[in-house]
Short mmCIF file of all heavy atoms in Angstrom, two decimals:
data_model
loop_
_atom_site.label_atom_id
_atom_site.label_comp_id
_atom_site.label_asym_id
_atom_site.label_seq_id
_atom_site.Cartn_x
_atom_site.Cartn_y
_atom_site.Cartn_z
N ARG A 4 -16.50 7.10 8.67
CA ARG A 4 -15.54 7.36 7.58
C ARG A 4 -14.53 8.48 8.05
O ARG A 4 -13.40 8.57 7.42
CB ARG A 4 -16.23 7.75 6.31
CG ARG A 4 -17.03 6.69 5.77
CD ARG A 4 -17.35 6.91 4.26
NE ARG A 4 -17.92 5.61 3.86
CZ ARG A 4 -17.19 4.61 3.33
NH1 ARG A 4 -15.92 4.67 3.26
NH2 ARG A 4 -17.77 3.55 2.94
N TRP A 5 -14.86 9.25 8.97
CA TRP A 5 -13.88 10.27 9.37
C TRP A 5 -12.67 9.75 10.06
O TRP A 5 -11.61 10.41 10.09
CB TRP A 5 -14.58 11.31 10.36
CG TRP A 5 -15.64 12.16 9.72
CD1 TRP A 5 -16.95 12.08 9.80
CD2 TRP A 5 -15.27 13.29 8.83
NE1 TRP A 5 -17.56 13.12 9.00
CE2 TRP A 5 -16.55 13.84 8.51
CE3 TRP A 5 -14.09 13.92 8.44
CZ2 TRP A 5 -16.61 14.95 7.61
CZ3 TRP A 5 -14.13 14.98 7.64
CH2 TRP A 5 -15.43 15.50 7.24
N THR A 8 -10.73 9.48 6.93
CA THR A 8 -10.62 10.70 6.13
C THR A 8 -9.69 11.71 6.85
O THR A 8 -8.87 12.37 6.06
CB THR A 8 -12.05 11.35 6.07
OG1 THR A 8 -12.89 10.37 5.42
CG2 THR A 8 -12.05 12.70 5.43
N GLN A 11 -6.00 10.81 6.28
CA GLN A 11 -5.68 10.86 4.79
C GLN A 11 -5.55 12.29 4.39
O GLN A 11 -4.62 12.66 3.62
CB GLN A 11 -6.69 10.14 3.97
CG GLN A 11 -6.48 8.70 3.94
CD GLN A 11 -7.30 7.98 2.79
OE1 GLN A 11 -8.40 8.50 2.53
NE2 GLN A 11 -6.85 6.88 2.28
N LEU A 12 -6.46 13.22 4.80
CA LEU A 12 -6.38 14.61 4.34
C LEU A 12 -5.16 15.23 4.93
O LEU A 12 -4.47 16.07 4.32
CB LEU A 12 -7.65 15.35 4.91
CG LEU A 12 -8.96 14.98 4.03
CD1 LEU A 12 -10.08 15.78 4.75
CD2 LEU A 12 -8.83 15.35 2.58
N VAL A 15 -2.30 14.15 2.76
CA VAL A 15 -2.43 14.89 1.50
C VAL A 15 -1.81 16.25 1.64
O VAL A 15 -1.08 16.71 0.75
CB VAL A 15 -3.82 14.94 0.96
CG1 VAL A 15 -4.03 15.97 -0.17
CG2 VAL A 15 -4.37 13.54 0.46
N ASP A 65 -3.69 7.21 -2.00
CA ASP A 65 -5.03 6.58 -1.97
C ASP A 65 -6.08 7.56 -1.74
O ASP A 65 -7.26 7.57 -2.28
CB ASP A 65 -5.12 5.50 -1.01
CG ASP A 65 -6.42 4.78 -0.93
OD1 ASP A 65 -6.95 4.31 -1.95
OD2 ASP A 65 -7.02 4.84 0.21
N GLY A 66 -5.88 8.55 -0.84
CA GLY A 66 -6.81 9.65 -0.54
C GLY A 66 -7.12 10.47 -1.77
O GLY A 66 -8.23 10.77 -2.03
N LEU A 67 -6.09 10.80 -2.49
CA LEU A 67 -6.29 11.51 -3.76
C LEU A 67 -7.08 10.73 -4.81
O LEU A 67 -7.97 11.26 -5.52
CB LEU A 67 -5.01 11.99 -4.31
CG LEU A 67 -4.25 13.07 -3.50
CD1 LEU A 67 -2.86 13.29 -4.19
CD2 LEU A 67 -5.06 14.42 -3.55
N ALA A 68 -6.83 9.43 -4.92
CA ALA A 68 -7.47 8.56 -5.83
C ALA A 68 -8.91 8.40 -5.46
O ALA A 68 -9.87 8.51 -6.26
CB ALA A 68 -6.88 7.19 -5.82
N SER A 69 -9.27 8.34 -4.11
CA SER A 69 -10.60 8.15 -3.68
C SER A 69 -11.35 9.55 -3.93
O SER A 69 -12.50 9.50 -4.36
CB SER A 69 -10.61 7.87 -2.18
OG SER A 69 -10.08 6.56 -1.89
N LEU A 70 -10.72 10.62 -3.69
CA LEU A 70 -11.36 11.92 -3.86
C LEU A 70 -11.60 12.19 -5.37
O LEU A 70 -12.71 12.71 -5.72
CB LEU A 70 -10.40 13.05 -3.39
CG LEU A 70 -11.00 14.42 -3.23
CD1 LEU A 70 -12.19 14.45 -2.31
CD2 LEU A 70 -9.92 15.50 -2.72
N ARG A 73 -14.46 9.41 -6.29
CA ARG A 73 -15.76 9.50 -5.52
C ARG A 73 -16.22 10.91 -5.24
O ARG A 73 -17.38 11.19 -4.84
CB ARG A 73 -15.60 8.79 -4.25
CG ARG A 73 -15.18 7.29 -4.35
CD ARG A 73 -14.74 6.69 -3.05
NE ARG A 73 -14.28 5.35 -3.27
CZ ARG A 73 -13.68 4.58 -2.24
NH1 ARG A 73 -13.49 5.14 -1.03
NH2 ARG A 73 -13.33 3.38 -2.47
N LEU A 74 -15.30 11.85 -5.36
CA LEU A 74 -15.60 13.37 -5.14
C LEU A 74 -15.92 13.55 -3.75
O LEU A 74 -16.04 14.78 -3.30
CB LEU A 74 -16.71 13.81 -6.04
CG LEU A 74 -16.52 13.60 -7.54
CD1 LEU A 74 -17.69 14.14 -8.37
CD2 LEU A 74 -15.26 14.23 -8.02
N ARG A 75 -15.94 12.62 -2.89
CA ARG A 75 -16.12 12.80 -1.40
C ARG A 75 -15.41 11.68 -0.71
O ARG A 75 -15.18 10.61 -1.16
CB ARG A 75 -17.64 12.66 -1.02
CG ARG A 75 -18.50 13.78 -1.65
CD ARG A 75 -19.87 13.59 -1.24
NE ARG A 75 -20.19 13.84 0.18
CZ ARG A 75 -21.28 13.83 0.82
NH1 ARG A 75 -22.36 13.45 0.12
NH2 ARG A 75 -21.42 14.12 2.12
N LEU A 76 -14.95 12.01 0.55
CA LEU A 76 -14.22 11.03 1.31
C LEU A 76 -15.03 10.53 2.59
O LEU A 76 -14.87 9.47 3.02
CB LEU A 76 -12.91 11.52 1.77
CG LEU A 76 -11.81 11.71 0.72
CD1 LEU A 76 -10.50 12.39 1.33
CD2 LEU A 76 -11.53 10.44 0.08
N ALA A 77 -15.83 11.41 3.12
CA ALA A 77 -16.50 11.08 4.34
C ALA A 77 -17.90 10.56 4.18
O ALA A 77 -18.65 10.51 5.19
CB ALA A 77 -16.59 12.39 5.28
N ALA A 78 -18.32 10.17 2.97
CA ALA A 78 -19.60 9.55 2.71
C ALA A 78 -19.53 8.49 1.70
O ALA A 78 -18.63 8.56 0.80
CB ALA A 78 -20.63 10.65 2.34
N ARG A 79 -20.44 7.57 1.71
CA ARG A 79 -20.50 6.41 0.80
C ARG A 79 -21.31 6.90 -0.40
O ARG A 79 -22.40 7.21 -0.37
CB ARG A 79 -21.18 5.17 1.42
CG ARG A 79 -21.65 4.15 0.36
CD ARG A 79 -20.44 3.40 -0.13
NE ARG A 79 -20.75 2.15 -0.76
CZ ARG A 79 -21.17 2.04 -2.01
NH1 ARG A 79 -21.20 3.14 -2.88
NH2 ARG A 79 -21.42 0.84 -2.54
N TYR A 191 -17.98 0.35 0.76
CA TYR A 191 -17.52 -0.09 -0.61
C TYR A 191 -17.05 -1.55 -0.54
O TYR A 191 -16.75 -2.13 0.45
CB TYR A 191 -16.34 0.80 -1.12
CG TYR A 191 -16.75 2.21 -1.27
CD1 TYR A 191 -16.44 3.22 -0.33
CD2 TYR A 191 -17.40 2.70 -2.42
CE1 TYR A 191 -16.78 4.53 -0.51
CE2 TYR A 191 -17.73 3.98 -2.62
CZ TYR A 191 -17.44 4.88 -1.71
OH TYR A 191 -17.69 6.32 -1.87
#
Side-chain angles (χ1 to χ4, degrees):
R4 294 199 169 274
W5 287 106
T8 297
Q11 277 194 332
L12 289 177
V15 167
D65 178 59
L67 290 172
S69 297
L70 191 60
R73 302 169 183 172
L74 304 181
R75 296 181 68 179
L76 288 178
R79 166 70 164 91
Y191 295 99

